[in-house]
Amino acid sequence: MGKKDITSNLYALFHPDAVAVIGASENESKLGFHVMKSLTQGSFSGRIMPINPGAKKIMGLRAYPAVGDCEEPVDLAIIVVPARWVPGIFEECAKKGVRGIVLITAGFKEIEDAAGGENQKHIADLANRAAIPVIGPNTFGMVNLHRDLNATFTPEFSGVGKGAISLVSQSGGAAHLLSFMAMRENVRMSKIIGLGNRLNVDFAQILPFLVEDPDTRVIALYLEGLDDPRKLKETAEAFRGRKPVIAFKTGESEVGDRASQSHTGSLAGKHEIYWGALKQAGIFPTKDFHSLLDLAKTLAVCPFPQNNGVAVLTAQAGPGMAACDVCEREGLEIVQFSTETQATVNGLLPPLALRTNPIDLGPAWYDSDALRGIIQAVMDDDAVASIILIMMFASANRMIVPNLMPLLLDWQQKKPVVTCLVAPPGIWDEHVMALEEAGAIVNIPTPERAAKAMAALYRYAKMING
Amino acid sequence: MGKKDITSNLYALFHPDAVAVIGASENESKLGFHVMKSLTQGSFSGRIMPINPGAKKIMGLRAYPAVGDCEEPVDLAIIVVPARWVPGIFEECAKKGVRGIVLITAGFKEIEDAAGGENQKHIADLANRAAIPVIGPNTFGMVNLHRDLNATFTPEFSGVGKGAISLVSQSGGAAHLLSFMAMRENVRMSKIIGLGNRLNVDFAQILPFLVEDPDTRVIALYLEGLDDPRKLKETAEAFRGRKPVIAFKTGESEVGDRASQSHTGSLAGKHEIYWGALKQAGIFPTKDFHSLLDLAKTLAVCPFPQNNGVAVLTAQAGPGMAACDVCEREGLEIVQFSTETQATVNGLLPPLALRTNPIDLGPAWYDSDALRGIIQAVMDDDAVASIILIMMFASANRMIVPNLMPLLLDWQQKKPVVTCLVAPPGIWDEHVMALEEAGAIVNIPTPERAAKAMAALYRYAKMING
């Protein structure tokens, strides 16, 4: 048995019917407590079996002394016991027929002591022989939101919305940060995976799985260093363009490089060479945590723009200008409208308004028909390949988004539409969220980030389609 | 009487005891309704007098047919009636002895019709003769959070926290966006001012006022175009370095320039020349809405770093590396610790950790004493001029920020400390907010933005002190 079997067991790992938590605890200072909380607090519908030789019940669930004592099959084992016990537990799991393991325990390859690396090699052999795919060790775990499965020590991951973006991270901190940001900005995810030390599930195993995963439309990677960039390159090349793969990579500074080396036991340097190779393989670079999420969100919803021509429609000139500045800087062209579109717009806006591209919608602010007429005309204009729609609103104009809903729902991203609809926190977000959930818009909280996301969408399309 | 008198009345404008709303209404489709809501929903302690010849009471308050009918003095008049009535109302206000006006009404200099410009000149003469400072026309109004005064048509402005940043904006949309962002990210403000068409209160009047204002520590400008950059330059030069003045300017793209011209009736171009002049005058440029707020927040709390040496302390390697990458790119140096500091850190972290700068606090995560010992040693290190502290936390480590509170409160920004303490939304933010309100930290939601803010703080200090 080899890697092929491991890969074929990945589905079971992410879709278990029965989960054992080896090291489950009711002691709040133990990770085994928080893993139990993550599993039980969500709406996971499968069986949960705490494993702890010293307990009869944990969080109201019957506990077992060992995984081998469970009467029923165990699909996924989550392990949070000290490193020295892990080899024995792997053997038990193999005997029990466990299909996948999340190994949260640290203290393997990442420690300076050579014994750590040897131990990791030893358990890798055990797992490979049994064809058990292992997420970790030294990981927070993984989340499959479509299965309501939170196999991590962070119950709050369950608060991320259910969507189409799968995040694969080499850093637990980065995955936590991105997920907390995602909650705040309504970025909806499919899977959140912390690769940890990558015992036998590395990018080369996880990417092909996610490309076939019907719940994943966009793959977002957080990279720090790569043991074997050629392998990632070859893996990604095989499905180049089938699903968008985008990445944010840190450790490009001198000190960052040192940090990476210590942290994941691999070398972060040589990033220029890496990026050249990764781009060839269709992996698109983003510049920071915000851009990774913004572009992932955009790719999950928007079709590709046919060219770099963009229309900027803005209810407020200032934020619109900020978007225009970014568009020009990032290679989008604020195109001229067709004579027909321009005539329609001129008929709906007074002469005092800016009626060419960018359009200042301000004067039509209280006239829903005019507003819809202008937006529709621009959407239908052949010269326009993408649209950025910007509106700040509050109680004096709270009907603005509901009034636009039918138009945006009907348009359904025939050309990419990125919006920046911003209201005071928590007040009318439900309309924006409903539009996002219907796939009618991608909403990004600042005009500059909205423009950057559209420009990145265009550049991604160009990279893939030439 | 001239500009001097106008300026001397600015204090009364921002600190009125009695406010008249000319055009107050109970009709929700009128701006006069929303202005009344803004004034009455907050905790403004002064008198509010709705002015409307057709009403006896508005929102439970006695209404007057005209401002002249009020028995008591009126300090501030907020005007929301159509433009054609404004000259007559200005004459009434002058007769009544009104000290300041917020003129929300549009339809003056910004319209293409030459009559708009003439009308504006006419009412400017009226206001100048009576020494009445006027915010507007064509503005959302202004907010003085320290007076609980929301003189705008957007009641939600009252939700911005009370702080030391005064925002002066040439765009209503930008001011709304920045305020909504501020609410989400706990950026606390002093005054929010929409200059509109700048009848007789322009940057040249408002900046000297804010420099003397004890409630303002940082002045943040949103600029689109300047009628008279020399005047702003001369104004700013006079108090260069007395209070930080930072700016974000749009309209730098070709189309943005056109948009600005139409929008505020002034020319946005020649930005390179502008920036050269503004920087000489001590006005510091920022690149986008996020950076404007992040730097304003930092300047409001942090002392200047003595040099470009920074320490990055991070509980999670990934986000820490992202910060290090930005530090190096933006001119900060990740300095080497003193032998003494290094020995202390080595004593508190196991060999497997990254113990040099950046420090991976991960292994000390559950040992509060070690965590505090490391941070204290780094703070006290002479080689370290500034500190970036990064931690993602959730329920498994929810005590991490409370444990650090005494240390951070005691340290009280002896050297600048910018943090990136990020938890899932709404869960333990109260500790972070308490630290921010005590002036002990500046918290910024991503590691890159935290590093950029620290780098900008250093560059600002260098620009001012040479």
Side-chain angles (χ1 to χ4, degrees), chain A residues 28 112 155-156 184 222 224 251-254 258 288-290 318 325 328 351 356 395-396 398 423-424 448-449, chain B residues 28 112 155-156 184 222 224 251-254 258 288-290 318 325 328 351 356 395 398 423-424 448-449:
Chain A
E28 231 185 293
E112 276 172 18
E156 290 78 10
R184 281 177 213 271
Y222 171 81
E224 274 176 11
E252 314 228 327
S253 62
E254 203 188 308
R258 269 193 289 132
D288 52 31
F289 289 113
H290 274 316
D325 286 355
E328 282 204 3
T356 53
S395 56
R398 69 177 187 283
E448 298 102 322
R449 283 170 50 195
Chain B
E28 230 185 292
E112 277 173 15
E156 289 79 9
R184 283 178 212 272
Y222 171 81
E224 274 176 11
E252 313 229 327
S253 63
E254 204 187 309
R258 269 193 288 131
D288 53 30
F289 289 113
H290 274 317
D325 286 356
E328 282 205 2
T356 54
S395 57
R398 69 179 187 282
E448 299 102 321
R449 283 171 50 195

Side-chain angles (χ1 to χ4, degrees), chain A residues 170 198 202-203 221-230 232-233 249 260 264 266-269 274-275 278:
Chain A
Q170 267 188 283
R198 293 164 282 153
D202 202 340
F203 291 104
L221 311 179
Y222 171 81
L223 306 176
E224 274 176 11
L226 296 169
D227 302 310
D228 191 349
R230 269 169 313 171
L232 172 56
K233 190 196 164 212
K249 183 174 180 296
S260 165
T264 56
S266 63
L267 192 76
Y274 281 155
W275 271 125
L278 295 193

Side-chain angles (χ1 to χ4, degrees), chain B residues 435-448:
Chain B
L435 281 168
E436 286 208 296
E437 264 145 51
I441 60 166
V442 174
N443 197 54
I444 292 182
T446 79
E448 299 102 321

Side-chain angles (χ1 to χ4, degrees), chain B residues 295-316:
Chain B
L295 178 58
K297 198 173 173 174
T298 304
L299 281 163
V301 170
C302 291
F304 292 161
Q306 292 303 304
N307 57 57
N308 73 337
V310 67
V312 176
L313 305 180
T314 183
Q316 288 91 3

Side-chain angles (χ1 to χ4, degrees), chain A residues 171-235:
Chain A
S171 151
H176 279 76
L177 174 62
L178 286 162
S179 301
F180 299 165
M181 290 166 71
M183 286 184 224
R184 281 177 213 271
E185 300 190 347
N186 196 28
V187 180
R188 284 158 299 125
M189 299 214 179
S190 173
K191 291 168 186 65
I192 303 164
I193 304 162
L195 289 183
N197 292 6
R198 293 164 282 153
L199 189 77
N200 64 7
V201 176
D202 202 340
F203 291 104
Q205 286 72 44
I206 207 75
L207 288 184
F209 170 73
L210 292 174
V211 167
E212 298 301 332
D213 175 26
D215 295 328
T216 298
R217 269 204 303 279
V218 177
I219 302 166
L221 311 179
Y222 171 81
L223 306 176
E224 274 176 11
L226 296 169
D227 302 310
D228 191 349
R230 269 169 313 171
K231 212 160 182 179
L232 172 56
K233 190 196 164 212
E234 281 161 26
T235 309

Side-chain angles (χ1 to χ4, degrees), chain B residues 15 47 61 76 86 127 153 195 304 379:
Chain B
H15 302 79
R47 272 173 66 90
L61 294 170
L76 170 65
V86 170
F153 53 68
L195 289 184
F304 292 161
M379 282 171 161

Side-chain angles (χ1 to χ4, degrees), chain A residues 93-111:
Chain A
C93 286
K95 204 180 292 171
K96 177 67 185 168
V98 165
R99 310 279 298 278
I101 286 175
V102 169
L103 180 55
I104 289 174
T105 308
F108 293 94
K109 192 182 153 197
E110 82 280 8
I111 62 172

